[in-house]
């Protein structure tokens, strides 16, 4: 990347562009299953946010506008073919929506994969104060050896890298137990109230012009929390004038356990 010398970007396949934005704590390898199915007919781009994957940490507090500008520059450097379908998982949906609203000429459609439903919240702490606390906590966790447990927890909860002993599995384990990863995760979590506030501000001034699709994960279990989550996803889809598709049974990381369905829905979104 000429203007982004430290940027790690995975680009697979040829054809109309699809840009994948991971959720909180997500990395490029979580999308391997989807990319395998899409790259025969799409150019699929995966770029981790600062501190995740193989990217170095950033000095700045995580922000919507900062990430949107990073993605805009990346898209410019890659000279992507035609309007790009932008896919955001969970928290990554906030960035995907903001990019579509602020740069409509670059985005041909948005797909939110079990996306975060932005709900304004009040906090007495400033973004800088919350960020400072997050960094202090990260230092304590690193010092106590907690990051060494993260690869196992990730495999049990998400299971995105299944090839035990493979080079990809080793890279994933190195990323997940790294100092930068736990620090980036806690900093972004601490920034959530500010991220939501920034997106709500953008919503008030920039319409969502292109088509949108919401893919929701229904556990299939008769839990009140599951039913509430699906109601929230449907309401979010209505607010965005988006189509809503519910996959059952499914877990939050749909791109892992329902990769074929997610790839098919992304493919259909790009053909409209």
């Amino acid at each position: 990347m000429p203007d982004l010398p430290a940027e790690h970007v995975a680009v697979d396949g040829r054809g109309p562009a699809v840009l994948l934005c991971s959720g909180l704590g997500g990395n490029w390898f979580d999308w391997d299953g989807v990319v395998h199915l899409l790259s025969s007919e799409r150019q699929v781009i995966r770029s981790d946010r600062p501190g995740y994957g193989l990217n170095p940490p950033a000095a700045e507090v995580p922000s919507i506008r900062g990430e949107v500008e990073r993605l805009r520059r990346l898209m410019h450097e890659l000279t992507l073919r035609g309007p790009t379908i932008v896919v955001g998982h969970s928290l990554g949906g906030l960035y995907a929506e903001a990019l579509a609203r602020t740069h409509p000429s670059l985005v041909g459609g948005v797909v939110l994969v079990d996306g975060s439903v932005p709900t304004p919240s009040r906090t007495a702490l400033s973004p800088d104060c919350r960020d400072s606390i997050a960094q202090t906590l990260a230092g304590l966790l690193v010092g106590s050896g907690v990051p060494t447990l993260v690869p196992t927890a990730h495999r049990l909860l998400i299971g995105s890298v299944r090839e035990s002993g493979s080079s990809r599995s080793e890279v994933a384990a190195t990323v997940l137990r790294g100092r930068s990863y736990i620090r980036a995760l806690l900093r972004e979590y601490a920034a959530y109230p500010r991220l939501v506030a920034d997106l709500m501000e953008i919503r008030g001034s920039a319409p969502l012009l292109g088509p949108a699709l919401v893919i929701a994960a229904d556990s299939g279990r008769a839990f009140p929390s599951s039913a509430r989550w699906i109601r929230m996803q449907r309401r979010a889809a209505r607010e965005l004038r988006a189509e809503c598709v519910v996959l059952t049974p499914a877990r939050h990381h749909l791109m892992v356990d329902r990769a074929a369905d997610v790839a098919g829905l992304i493919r259909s979104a790009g053909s409209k």
Side-chain angles (χ1 to χ4, degrees), residues 10-18 35-45 78-81 267:
V11 181
D12 297 88
R14 295 178 179 275
V18 175
V35 172
H36 175 72
L37 295 166
L38 275 182
S39 56
S40 62
E41 52 191 289
R42 299 286 190 275
Q43 182 185 38
V44 188
I45 301 97
L78 290 177
T79 58
L80 301 182
R81 174 185 166 188
R267 189 181 296 111

Side-chain angles (χ1 to χ4, degrees), residues 18 35 45 53 112 136 154 162 174 257:
V18 175
V35 172
I45 301 97
L112 305 181
T136 299
H154 186 275
R162 302 177 186 276
T174 299
D257 63 321

